[in-house]
Amino acid sequence: MKLVLAAFCTLVAVPAGAAETGADVLAKVDQAMNSFTDGTFESKLLIREPNGQAREIGFTTYQKVPDKRLVRFSSPGDLKGMGVLVENKDTMYVYLPGFQKVRRVGTHVKNQTFMGSDFSYEDMSQTRYSPTYDAKLVKADDKSWELELTVKGGQETEYPKVRMWVDKTATQPTKVQFADAAGKVLKTEEYEGYHIDDANHYGPAKVRVTDHRRNDHKSEIVFIGVKLNSGLTDDLFTQRSLVRGH
Amino acid sequence: MRPTKRGLLVAVAAAVLLPSAAVRADVELKFGGQIASDIRYRLGGEETPPAGPNSVVPFPSQQRLLKYGFSRNENLIKAQLTLSIADRVKAVADIDFYWYGYSDVNDIQAETLHERVDPYRLEANAAYVDIYKLLPKLDLRIGRQVVVWGTADKFNPTNNLNTLDLSDPLLFGKALANNMVRADWNPFGDVILTAVWVPIFRPAQLPRTAPIAVTEANRPAPVQEQYIRSTLGAFAQAMPPTQINVLTMQPDPSISNSQVGVRLAGRLLGMDASVSYYHGRWGIPTPAWAVQKPNGIVDAIVMWPKMDVLGADIAGSIEKLKGLGYWVEAAVFFPQKITYGVYNDIYGGHDPITFEPKGTKDASGNEEFQTHIMGPEFQRGTVIPSTPFLKLAAGADFTWNKYLYSNLQYVYGFIDEFGAGRQCFARPNSMPGDDPRCEARIGHYLVLGSDLKLFSDQLLIRFFGAFKVPQIGDQDPRFTAVLFPQLAWAVWDATEISLGAFVFLGPRDSKFGDPAAGASEIFMKARFTY
């Protein structure tokens, strides 16, 4: 992941026959996920309830690699106008139009679910695995790699163990299982419909998350529009911009 | 070929319409709003206004507050419109249209008028134009707006440009929009210098129970000096008022009554930090005169004190404590001194009642005075001393897991508290002139609560409370608090139903038990936001 925004990549040439280590593959995944300078992602979040109903949230994410992110919500009405600015991993702001106030929020909100979905704020803000995990290549075939990730010493994460299946064409994960220290799978992410979405970049059409701790509760993000490397400036990722709303 | 008349008309029409069509093509329009309903029931409050021959509002009226009865029966249609041209100009309108849900029919003529049979009101939360990059790095906003300063949660001592809507405790002191000119200059990085000018002062919106604070005959005189308070109390005991009229002295719309504010905000050691200055008025009126008239009628006059405020705040996140959010916000207030002018008009004149210091103190250490009725004038009682005073809010919040969020805040100086010195309450069942209970005007409070979110955030269980903490020097400290339990159910996208209560706890002579503060209510709300 962790995911979403990061699930856009270049057509990175992978030497299929090379003797690769898990670390090599993970580095390629990170590279592919962050191989653009900026991006605008218009998305739809679907939160599927056990009774079959689905709530829909519309939002646009502006991202400037590596850290800056601005999320603006467009629907439903009670979220419209709300914005979240992530300047870096320690600095986040929320703009609530009802209060007309930008509020600095502690990074504890990373533990919160993103609008009641199965995504967390941490999911929405982290795009590289290598700084957090050591990787072991457990399987490889013509089309995919299978990696086993273990949290590095000194790093803190909700998921100390991760298993990842990587598509060799996109150099992107197709499935990621997040587990606790005992290996119990807590959450699964699945990426579907990789396609060339912009100037030799791959991106998924959809990301689905299943939270096994919530009776296999499911959420998915459907990407409606993607624009990469359009030259977003730093001015966009400021508190003033958050208030302006455009 | 000679053009025909019709051809000319078409050409002219095209010339007029085409350029405007081209301009309008750049305008982006966003529309939104809310439809909401709010029904509340009052539990054990005091009747406002009291039924009786001297009641200002004719009896019976649906607009009365009963001890047990519906206190709100409101419907709202909110409309928000935003027009923008690229990233240069934005115009915003935000209008609330409320139907009270009470009739106000006190005679047969009123029953023929729509606005009395079904009263309504309009509230403009915003009507402004933003001009971005007017000069390099300079944005301008002109119009009706709210400028929110401060990093604390709800209790913002540095936030004084807009006065507060205190009419509804569930709004927690929502800022009232006012006509302003605001300029933001962003010279570099995160540094922003904001300057605001407010030409005309808008007073706070008071709760319907507020007049009780000045119309009850047994309330002690709002002065600091114990001797003067006792003397005025003795006068009230000797000549109990039969009717108290409360008049106001609004600030003139002059340039000298304009409000101004300046704030410098930026980043310091990883924290968000700002310093600010405000010159203007306190939004809640304070008593300043009392005129005794024949037949026991008293005219009380209130005014809005001027003040200067120096403020500072910080906010951040402590990573070693798992990202705990924190904030500290403080302001030093320099108030205008307000004295209590007391006049006796009973005998045909306008005789001042003033007090000459004796230079001695009583056994309790209170300064003693000689009372003078008629001239020459000596000292008046002090309502608001010019002594600077501090208000502060410091707190932290934390998300324990996907379901539970907690917030804890220490507040020194509640949103309606102003002035150094002490305030006094009439003890329950006391008579005019009886010994009141006094405590520091600026109080200590603990505000804490939690949100529990269940079923993919569709069900919110909220419990918040504010508790007053006694301090040294308070007479007979009282337990007093407000509690706010709420259950909110997001039944579908943008649709919410909520049930809850706002509970005032404490005896009559305490902060939240004072009937002027309001009464406990249970509520049911529904809203759809589009």
Side-chain angles (χ1 to χ4, degrees), chain A residues 55 80 87 93 99 101 104 107-108 116 213-214 217 240 244, chain B residues 31 90 139 152 154 267 272 317 319 323 397 399 402 456-457:
Chain A
R55 288 187 294 134
K80 188 160 63 176
E87 285 195 359
Y93 298 92
F99 297 99
K101 181 176 180 178
R104 170 89 178 254
T107 49
H108 59 86
R213 295 161 293 186
R214 299 169 72 191
H217 193 272
R240 287 171 75 215
R244 283 178 187 170
Chain B
F31 187 69
K90 187 166 82 172
D139 297 342
K154 307 283 188 196
R267 197 74 58 81
D272 282 22
S317 180
E319 299 315 307
D397 65 349
T399 303
K402 290 174 182 171
S456 308
D457 289 7

PDB file of all heavy atoms in Angstrom, chain A residues 55 80 87 93 99 101 104 107-108 116 213-214 217 240 244, chain B residues 31 90 139 152 154 267 272 317 319 323 397 399 402 456-457:
ATOM      1  N   ARG A  55     -22.500   2.524   0.520  1.00  0.00           N
ATOM      2  CA  ARG A  55     -22.434   3.985   0.593  1.00  0.00           C
ATOM      3  C   ARG A  55     -21.326   4.452  -0.334  1.00  0.00           C
ATOM      4  O   ARG A  55     -20.320   3.759  -0.503  1.00  0.00           O
ATOM      5  CB  ARG A  55     -22.141   4.430   2.025  1.00  0.00           C
ATOM      6  CG  ARG A  55     -23.336   4.216   2.948  1.00  0.00           C
ATOM      7  CD  ARG A  55     -23.098   4.819   4.299  1.00  0.00           C
ATOM      8  NE  ARG A  55     -22.037   4.149   5.015  1.00  0.00           N
ATOM      9  CZ  ARG A  55     -21.059   4.781   5.663  1.00  0.00           C
ATOM     10  NH1 ARG A  55     -21.002   6.101   5.663  1.00  0.00           N
ATOM     11  NH2 ARG A  55     -20.139   4.114   6.307  1.00  0.00           N
ATOM     12  N   LYS A  80     -19.145  17.178   1.546  1.00  0.00           N
ATOM     13  CA  LYS A  80     -18.755  18.093   0.465  1.00  0.00           C
ATOM     14  C   LYS A  80     -18.034  19.317   1.030  1.00  0.00           C
ATOM     15  O   LYS A  80     -18.516  19.947   1.962  1.00  0.00           O
ATOM     16  CB  LYS A  80     -20.008  18.520  -0.310  1.00  0.00           C
ATOM     17  CG  LYS A  80     -19.711  19.305  -1.562  1.00  0.00           C
ATOM     18  CD  LYS A  80     -20.866  19.289  -2.519  1.00  0.00           C
ATOM     19  CE  LYS A  80     -22.101  19.948  -1.974  1.00  0.00           C
ATOM     20  NZ  LYS A  80     -23.182  20.006  -2.962  1.00  0.00           N
ATOM     21  N   GLU A  87       0.971  17.143   4.891  1.00  0.00           N
ATOM     22  CA  GLU A  87       2.216  17.792   4.446  1.00  0.00           C
ATOM     23  C   GLU A  87       3.385  16.804   4.484  1.00  0.00           C
ATOM     24  O   GLU A  87       4.257  16.828   3.637  1.00  0.00           O
ATOM     25  CB  GLU A  87       2.525  18.999   5.327  1.00  0.00           C
ATOM     26  CG  GLU A  87       1.631  20.178   5.003  1.00  0.00           C
ATOM     27  CD  GLU A  87       2.162  21.462   5.593  1.00  0.00           C
ATOM     28  OE1 GLU A  87       3.219  21.451   6.279  1.00  0.00           O
ATOM     29  OE2 GLU A  87       1.531  22.488   5.376  1.00  0.00           O
ATOM     30  N   TYR A  93      -3.615  18.311   8.401  1.00  0.00           N
ATOM     31  CA  TYR A  93      -4.634  19.315   8.693  1.00  0.00           C
ATOM     32  C   TYR A  93      -5.970  18.849   8.127  1.00  0.00           C
ATOM     33  O   TYR A  93      -6.016  18.189   7.095  1.00  0.00           O
ATOM     34  CB  TYR A  93      -4.282  20.656   8.046  1.00  0.00           C
ATOM     35  CG  TYR A  93      -2.999  21.253   8.535  1.00  0.00           C
ATOM     36  CD1 TYR A  93      -1.802  21.003   7.872  1.00  0.00           C
ATOM     37  CD2 TYR A  93      -2.978  22.074   9.658  1.00  0.00           C
ATOM     38  CE1 TYR A  93      -0.619  21.548   8.324  1.00  0.00           C
ATOM     39  CE2 TYR A  93      -1.799  22.624  10.115  1.00  0.00           C
ATOM     40  CZ  TYR A  93      -0.614  22.352   9.443  1.00  0.00           C
ATOM     41  OH  TYR A  93       0.552  22.896   9.894  1.00  0.00           O
ATOM     42  N   PHE A  99     -17.207  24.691  10.167  1.00  0.00           N
ATOM     43  CA  PHE A  99     -16.541  25.509  11.175  1.00  0.00           C
ATOM     44  C   PHE A  99     -15.646  26.568  10.549  1.00  0.00           C
ATOM     45  O   PHE A  99     -15.091  27.406  11.237  1.00  0.00           O
ATOM     46  CB  PHE A  99     -15.702  24.624  12.106  1.00  0.00           C
ATOM     47  CG  PHE A  99     -16.526  23.654  12.890  1.00  0.00           C
ATOM     48  CD1 PHE A  99     -16.649  22.341  12.493  1.00  0.00           C
ATOM     49  CD2 PHE A  99     -17.198  24.066  14.026  1.00  0.00           C
ATOM     50  CE1 PHE A  99     -17.421  21.443  13.213  1.00  0.00           C
ATOM     51  CE2 PHE A  99     -17.970  23.183  14.761  1.00  0.00           C
ATOM     52  CZ  PHE A  99     -18.088  21.868  14.343  1.00  0.00           C
ATOM     53  N   LYS A 101     -12.717  26.393   9.532  1.00  0.00           N
ATOM     54  CA  LYS A 101     -11.470  26.399  10.289  1.00  0.00           C
ATOM     55  C   LYS A 101     -10.580  25.256   9.832  1.00  0.00           C
ATOM     56  O   LYS A 101     -11.060  24.131   9.652  1.00  0.00           O
ATOM     57  CB  LYS A 101     -11.822  26.245  11.767  1.00  0.00           C
ATOM     58  CG  LYS A 101     -10.636  26.251  12.703  1.00  0.00           C
ATOM     59  CD  LYS A 101     -11.118  26.193  14.134  1.00  0.00           C
ATOM     60  CE  LYS A 101      -9.943  26.190  15.095  1.00  0.00           C
ATOM     61  NZ  LYS A 101     -10.364  26.175  16.494  1.00  0.00           N
ATOM     62  N   ARG A 104      -5.130  21.609  12.866  1.00  0.00           N
ATOM     63  CA  ARG A 104      -4.009  20.671  12.896  1.00  0.00           C
ATOM     64  C   ARG A 104      -4.466  19.454  13.682  1.00  0.00           C
ATOM     65  O   ARG A 104      -4.994  19.589  14.792  1.00  0.00           O
ATOM     66  CB  ARG A 104      -2.812  21.346  13.590  1.00  0.00           C
ATOM     67  CG  ARG A 104      -1.645  20.416  13.906  1.00  0.00           C
ATOM     68  CD  ARG A 104      -0.676  20.344  12.771  1.00  0.00           C
ATOM     69  NE  ARG A 104       0.460  19.502  13.104  1.00  0.00           N
ATOM     70  CZ  ARG A 104       1.673  19.955  13.389  1.00  0.00           C
ATOM     71  NH1 ARG A 104       1.911  21.257  13.397  1.00  0.00           N
ATOM     72  NH2 ARG A 104       2.671  19.119  13.638  1.00  0.00           N
ATOM     73  N   THR A 107      -1.258  12.962  14.587  1.00  0.00           N
ATOM     74  CA  THR A 107      -1.137  11.842  13.652  1.00  0.00           C
ATOM     75  C   THR A 107      -1.815  10.582  14.182  1.00  0.00           C
ATOM     76  O   THR A 107      -1.852   9.567  13.502  1.00  0.00           O
ATOM     77  CB  THR A 107       0.345  11.557  13.343  1.00  0.00           C
ATOM     78  OG1 THR A 107       1.048  11.488  14.585  1.00  0.00           O
ATOM     79  CG2 THR A 107       0.942  12.636  12.488  1.00  0.00           C
ATOM     80  N   HIS A 108      -2.389  10.688  15.396  1.00  0.00           N
ATOM     81  CA  HIS A 108      -3.177   9.558  15.907  1.00  0.00           C
ATOM     82  C   HIS A 108      -4.348   9.242  14.982  1.00  0.00           C
ATOM     83  O   HIS A 108      -4.874   8.133  15.007  1.00  0.00           O
ATOM     84  CB  HIS A 108      -3.694   9.865  17.310  1.00  0.00           C
ATOM     85  CG  HIS A 108      -4.558  11.086  17.376  1.00  0.00           C
ATOM     86  ND1 HIS A 108      -5.906  11.048  17.133  1.00  0.00           N
ATOM     87  CD2 HIS A 108      -4.259  12.382  17.649  1.00  0.00           C
ATOM     88  CE1 HIS A 108      -6.404  12.258  17.265  1.00  0.00           C
ATOM     89  NE2 HIS A 108      -5.426  13.090  17.575  1.00  0.00           N
ATOM     90  N   GLY A 116     -15.143   5.807   7.600  1.00  0.00           N
ATOM     91  CA  GLY A 116     -15.919   4.620   7.921  1.00  0.00           C
ATOM     92  C   GLY A 116     -15.653   3.435   7.017  1.00  0.00           C
ATOM     93  O   GLY A 116     -16.305   2.401   7.126  1.00  0.00           O
ATOM     94  N   ARG A 213     -11.295  -8.393  10.423  1.00  0.00           N
ATOM     95  CA  ARG A 213     -11.672  -8.159  11.818  1.00  0.00           C
ATOM     96  C   ARG A 213     -13.095  -7.633  11.927  1.00  0.00           C
ATOM     97  O   ARG A 213     -13.663  -7.565  12.991  1.00  0.00           O
ATOM     98  CB  ARG A 213     -10.714  -7.139  12.454  1.00  0.00           C
ATOM     99  CG  ARG A 213      -9.301  -7.629  12.567  1.00  0.00           C
ATOM    100  CD  ARG A 213      -8.333  -6.484  12.753  1.00  0.00           C
ATOM    101  NE  ARG A 213      -8.277  -5.645  11.570  1.00  0.00           N
ATOM    102  CZ  ARG A 213      -7.436  -4.634  11.395  1.00  0.00           C
ATOM    103  NH1 ARG A 213      -6.576  -4.333  12.346  1.00  0.00           N
ATOM    104  NH2 ARG A 213      -7.438  -3.932  10.297  1.00  0.00           N
ATOM    105  N   ARG A 214     -13.620  -7.201  10.824  1.00  0.00           N
ATOM    106  CA  ARG A 214     -14.992  -6.647  10.822  1.00  0.00           C
ATOM    107  C   ARG A 214     -15.908  -7.565  10.001  1.00  0.00           C
ATOM    108  O   ARG A 214     -16.655  -7.094   9.161  1.00  0.00           O
ATOM    109  CB  ARG A 214     -14.977  -5.234  10.235  1.00  0.00           C
ATOM    110  CG  ARG A 214     -14.123  -4.262  11.031  1.00  0.00           C
ATOM    111  CD  ARG A 214     -13.911  -2.965  10.290  1.00  0.00           C
ATOM    112  NE  ARG A 214     -15.096  -2.126  10.235  1.00  0.00           N
ATOM    113  CZ  ARG A 214     -15.203  -1.052   9.477  1.00  0.00           C
ATOM    114  NH1 ARG A 214     -14.186  -0.681   8.695  1.00  0.00           N
ATOM    115  NH2 ARG A 214     -16.303  -0.331   9.466  1.00  0.00           N
ATOM    116  N   HIS A 217     -15.785  -7.189   6.236  1.00  0.00           N
ATOM    117  CA  HIS A 217     -16.378  -5.954   5.718  1.00  0.00           C
ATOM    118  C   HIS A 217     -15.535  -5.458   4.543  1.00  0.00           C
ATOM    119  O   HIS A 217     -14.308  -5.493   4.590  1.00  0.00           O
ATOM    120  CB  HIS A 217     -16.382  -4.913   6.839  1.00  0.00           C
ATOM    121  CG  HIS A 217     -17.216  -3.732   6.549  1.00  0.00           C
ATOM    122  ND1 HIS A 217     -16.736  -2.638   5.890  1.00  0.00           N
ATOM    123  CD2 HIS A 217     -18.519  -3.463   6.821  1.00  0.00           C
ATOM    124  CE1 HIS A 217     -17.698  -1.742   5.789  1.00  0.00           C
ATOM    125  NE2 HIS A 217     -18.793  -2.214   6.340  1.00  0.00           N
ATOM    126  N   ARG A 240      -3.742  27.479   3.126  1.00  0.00           N
ATOM    127  CA  ARG A 240      -4.553  28.468   2.390  1.00  0.00           C
ATOM    128  C   ARG A 240      -5.315  27.795   1.269  1.00  0.00           C
ATOM    129  O   ARG A 240      -6.483  28.072   1.013  1.00  0.00           O
ATOM    130  CB  ARG A 240      -3.656  29.571   1.821  1.00  0.00           C
ATOM    131  CG  ARG A 240      -3.137  30.520   2.878  1.00  0.00           C
ATOM    132  CD  ARG A 240      -2.092  31.427   2.300  1.00  0.00           C
ATOM    133  NE  ARG A 240      -2.640  32.456   1.457  1.00  0.00           N
ATOM    134  CZ  ARG A 240      -2.046  32.929   0.364  1.00  0.00           C
ATOM    135  NH1 ARG A 240      -0.893  32.435  -0.019  1.00  0.00           N
ATOM    136  NH2 ARG A 240      -2.587  33.889  -0.323  1.00  0.00           N
ATOM    137  N   ARG A 244      -9.313  27.568   0.517  1.00  0.00           N
ATOM    138  CA  ARG A 244      -9.870  28.067  -0.744  1.00  0.00           C
ATOM    139  C   ARG A 244     -10.770  27.029  -1.404  1.00  0.00           C
ATOM    140  O   ARG A 244     -11.751  27.371  -2.033  1.00  0.00           O
ATOM    141  CB  ARG A 244      -8.737  28.387  -1.718  1.00  0.00           C
ATOM    142  CG  ARG A 244      -8.005  29.664  -1.439  1.00  0.00           C
ATOM    143  CD  ARG A 244      -6.904  29.772  -2.470  1.00  0.00           C
ATOM    144  NE  ARG A 244      -6.015  30.880  -2.220  1.00  0.00           N
ATOM    145  CZ  ARG A 244      -4.879  31.050  -2.868  1.00  0.00           C
ATOM    146  NH1 ARG A 244      -4.510  30.173  -3.797  1.00  0.00           N
ATOM    147  NH2 ARG A 244      -4.113  32.078  -2.611  1.00  0.00           N
TER     148      ARG A 244
ATOM    149  N   PHE B  31     -23.366  24.247  -5.842  1.00  0.00           N
ATOM    150  CA  PHE B  31     -24.555  24.500  -5.038  1.00  0.00           C
ATOM    151  C   PHE B  31     -24.705  23.386  -4.016  1.00  0.00           C
ATOM    152  O   PHE B  31     -24.445  22.226  -4.312  1.00  0.00           O
ATOM    153  CB  PHE B  31     -25.786  24.568  -5.950  1.00  0.00           C
ATOM    154  CG  PHE B  31     -27.025  24.994  -5.238  1.00  0.00           C
ATOM    155  CD1 PHE B  31     -27.158  26.295  -4.767  1.00  0.00           C
ATOM    156  CD2 PHE B  31     -28.066  24.104  -5.024  1.00  0.00           C
ATOM    157  CE1 PHE B  31     -28.300  26.699  -4.098  1.00  0.00           C
ATOM    158  CE2 PHE B  31     -29.220  24.502  -4.352  1.00  0.00           C
ATOM    159  CZ  PHE B  31     -29.338  25.802  -3.896  1.00  0.00           C
ATOM    160  N   LYS B  90     -13.538  34.064  -6.085  1.00  0.00           N
ATOM    161  CA  LYS B  90     -14.587  33.166  -5.593  1.00  0.00           C
ATOM    162  C   LYS B  90     -15.614  34.004  -4.839  1.00  0.00           C
ATOM    163  O   LYS B  90     -15.243  34.865  -4.028  1.00  0.00           O
ATOM    164  CB  LYS B  90     -13.988  32.107  -4.666  1.00  0.00           C
ATOM    165  CG  LYS B  90     -15.001  31.044  -4.266  1.00  0.00           C
ATOM    166  CD  LYS B  90     -14.332  29.839  -3.635  1.00  0.00           C
ATOM    167  CE  LYS B  90     -14.028  30.065  -2.182  1.00  0.00           C
ATOM    168  NZ  LYS B  90     -13.541  28.863  -1.493  1.00  0.00           N
ATOM    169  N   ASP B 139      -4.041  37.803  -0.747  1.00  0.00           N
ATOM    170  CA  ASP B 139      -5.446  37.495  -1.024  1.00  0.00           C
ATOM    171  C   ASP B 139      -6.328  38.469  -0.245  1.00  0.00           C
ATOM    172  O   ASP B 139      -5.968  38.902   0.854  1.00  0.00           O
ATOM    173  CB  ASP B 139      -5.795  36.075  -0.574  1.00  0.00           C
ATOM    174  CG  ASP B 139      -5.008  35.016  -1.322  1.00  0.00           C
ATOM    175  OD1 ASP B 139      -4.457  35.333  -2.389  1.00  0.00           O
ATOM    176  OD2 ASP B 139      -4.946  33.871  -0.827  1.00  0.00           O
ATOM    177  N   ALA B 152      -7.355  25.882  19.769  1.00  0.00           N
ATOM    178  CA  ALA B 152      -8.057  25.043  20.743  1.00  0.00           C
ATOM    179  C   ALA B 152      -9.380  24.564  20.151  1.00  0.00           C
ATOM    180  O   ALA B 152      -9.814  25.021  19.090  1.00  0.00           O
ATOM    181  CB  ALA B 152      -8.297  25.822  22.034  1.00  0.00           C
ATOM    182  N   LYS B 154     -13.124  24.484  20.198  1.00  0.00           N
ATOM    183  CA  LYS B 154     -14.352  25.202  20.595  1.00  0.00           C
ATOM    184  C   LYS B 154     -14.096  26.393  21.516  1.00  0.00           C
ATOM    185  O   LYS B 154     -14.776  27.403  21.405  1.00  0.00           O
ATOM    186  CB  LYS B 154     -15.352  24.287  21.293  1.00  0.00           C
ATOM    187  CG  LYS B 154     -15.690  23.039  20.516  1.00  0.00           C
ATOM    188  CD  LYS B 154     -16.641  23.319  19.406  1.00  0.00           C
ATOM    189  CE  LYS B 154     -17.108  22.029  18.763  1.00  0.00           C
ATOM    190  NZ  LYS B 154     -17.720  22.267  17.466  1.00  0.00           N
ATOM    191  N   ARG B 267       5.144  28.201  11.384  1.00  0.00           N
ATOM    192  CA  ARG B 267       5.592  26.941  11.962  1.00  0.00           C
ATOM    193  C   ARG B 267       6.787  27.210  12.847  1.00  0.00           C
ATOM    194  O   ARG B 267       7.697  27.955  12.478  1.00  0.00           O
ATOM    195  CB  ARG B 267       5.972  26.001  10.822  1.00  0.00           C
ATOM    196  CG  ARG B 267       6.081  24.544  11.179  1.00  0.00           C
ATOM    197  CD  ARG B 267       4.751  23.853  11.407  1.00  0.00           C
ATOM    198  NE  ARG B 267       3.855  23.930  10.264  1.00  0.00           N
ATOM    199  CZ  ARG B 267       3.928  23.144   9.202  1.00  0.00           C
ATOM    200  NH1 ARG B 267       4.841  22.221   9.129  1.00  0.00           N
ATOM    201  NH2 ARG B 267       3.082  23.272   8.226  1.00  0.00           N
ATOM    202  N   ASP B 272       2.486  24.312  14.897  1.00  0.00           N
ATOM    203  CA  ASP B 272       1.825  25.465  14.314  1.00  0.00           C
ATOM    204  C   ASP B 272       1.750  26.513  15.412  1.00  0.00           C
ATOM    205  O   ASP B 272       1.349  26.202  16.535  1.00  0.00           O
ATOM    206  CB  ASP B 272       0.411  25.107  13.866  1.00  0.00           C
ATOM    207  CG  ASP B 272       0.416  24.345  12.563  1.00  0.00           C
ATOM    208  OD1 ASP B 272       1.460  23.750  12.250  1.00  0.00           O
ATOM    209  OD2 ASP B 272      -0.614  24.342  11.870  1.00  0.00           O
ATOM    210  N   SER B 317       1.638  17.649  17.284  1.00  0.00           N
ATOM    211  CA  SER B 317       1.402  16.224  17.446  1.00  0.00           C
ATOM    212  C   SER B 317       2.659  15.626  18.075  1.00  0.00           C
ATOM    213  O   SER B 317       3.779  15.960  17.676  1.00  0.00           O
ATOM    214  CB  SER B 317       1.159  15.656  16.041  1.00  0.00           C
ATOM    215  OG  SER B 317       0.914  14.304  16.078  1.00  0.00           O
ATOM    216  N   GLU B 319       4.817  12.517  18.466  1.00  0.00           N
ATOM    217  CA  GLU B 319       4.970  11.173  17.865  1.00  0.00           C
ATOM    218  C   GLU B 319       5.341  10.135  18.906  1.00  0.00           C
ATOM    219  O   GLU B 319       4.952   8.977  18.787  1.00  0.00           O
ATOM    220  CB  GLU B 319       6.012  11.223  16.752  1.00  0.00           C
ATOM    221  CG  GLU B 319       5.641  12.160  15.615  1.00  0.00           C
ATOM    222  CD  GLU B 319       4.191  12.023  15.172  1.00  0.00           C
ATOM    223  OE1 GLU B 319       3.763  10.894  14.868  1.00  0.00           O
ATOM    224  OE2 GLU B 319       3.471  13.033  15.163  1.00  0.00           O
ATOM    225  N   GLY B 323       1.316   9.896  18.346  1.00  0.00           N
ATOM    226  CA  GLY B 323       0.648  10.917  17.542  1.00  0.00           C
ATOM    227  C   GLY B 323      -0.399  11.713  18.283  1.00  0.00           C
ATOM    228  O   GLY B 323      -1.286  12.315  17.663  1.00  0.00           O
ATOM    229  N   ASP B 397      -6.010  15.407  22.208  1.00  0.00           N
ATOM    230  CA  ASP B 397      -6.971  14.408  21.747  1.00  0.00           C
ATOM    231  C   ASP B 397      -6.231  13.190  21.213  1.00  0.00           C
ATOM    232  O   ASP B 397      -5.043  13.261  20.871  1.00  0.00           O
ATOM    233  CB  ASP B 397      -7.943  14.977  20.705  1.00  0.00           C
ATOM    234  CG  ASP B 397      -7.278  15.399  19.418  1.00  0.00           C
ATOM    235  OD1 ASP B 397      -6.030  15.463  19.357  1.00  0.00           O
ATOM    236  OD2 ASP B 397      -8.007  15.678  18.451  1.00  0.00           O
ATOM    237  N   THR B 399      -6.911   9.156  19.171  1.00  0.00           N
ATOM    238  CA  THR B 399      -7.740   8.101  18.595  1.00  0.00           C
ATOM    239  C   THR B 399      -7.182   6.771  19.071  1.00  0.00           C
ATOM    240  O   THR B 399      -6.053   6.412  18.729  1.00  0.00           O
ATOM    241  CB  THR B 399      -7.700   8.174  17.060  1.00  0.00           C
ATOM    242  OG1 THR B 399      -8.126   9.474  16.662  1.00  0.00           O
ATOM    243  CG2 THR B 399      -8.615   7.138  16.445  1.00  0.00           C
ATOM    244  N   LYS B 402     -10.051   2.229  15.725  1.00  0.00           N
ATOM    245  CA  LYS B 402     -10.970   2.652  14.664  1.00  0.00           C
ATOM    246  C   LYS B 402     -12.310   3.116  15.202  1.00  0.00           C
ATOM    247  O   LYS B 402     -13.114   3.680  14.468  1.00  0.00           O
ATOM    248  CB  LYS B 402     -11.193   1.499  13.686  1.00  0.00           C
ATOM    249  CG  LYS B 402      -9.964   1.207  12.874  1.00  0.00           C
ATOM    250  CD  LYS B 402     -10.135  -0.001  12.020  1.00  0.00           C
ATOM    251  CE  LYS B 402      -8.840  -0.263  11.261  1.00  0.00           C
ATOM    252  NZ  LYS B 402      -8.833  -1.522  10.556  1.00  0.00           N
ATOM    253  N   SER B 456     -19.254   0.974  10.611  1.00  0.00           N
ATOM    254  CA  SER B 456     -18.649   1.775   9.540  1.00  0.00           C
ATOM    255  C   SER B 456     -18.961   3.265   9.710  1.00  0.00           C
ATOM    256  O   SER B 456     -19.310   3.961   8.756  1.00  0.00           O
ATOM    257  CB  SER B 456     -19.153   1.321   8.172  1.00  0.00           C
ATOM    258  OG  SER B 456     -19.001  -0.056   8.023  1.00  0.00           O
ATOM    259  N   ASP B 457     -18.861   3.736  10.921  1.00  0.00           N
ATOM    260  CA  ASP B 457     -19.104   5.147  11.255  1.00  0.00           C
ATOM    261  C   ASP B 457     -20.555   5.551  11.082  1.00  0.00           C
ATOM    262  O   ASP B 457     -20.868   6.742  11.114  1.00  0.00           O
ATOM    263  CB  ASP B 457     -18.235   6.083  10.399  1.00  0.00           C
ATOM    264  CG  ASP B 457     -16.775   6.022  10.785  1.00  0.00           C
ATOM    265  OD1 ASP B 457     -16.428   5.174  11.617  1.00  0.00           O
ATOM    266  OD2 ASP B 457     -15.986   6.812  10.245  1.00  0.00           O
TER     267      ASP B 457
END
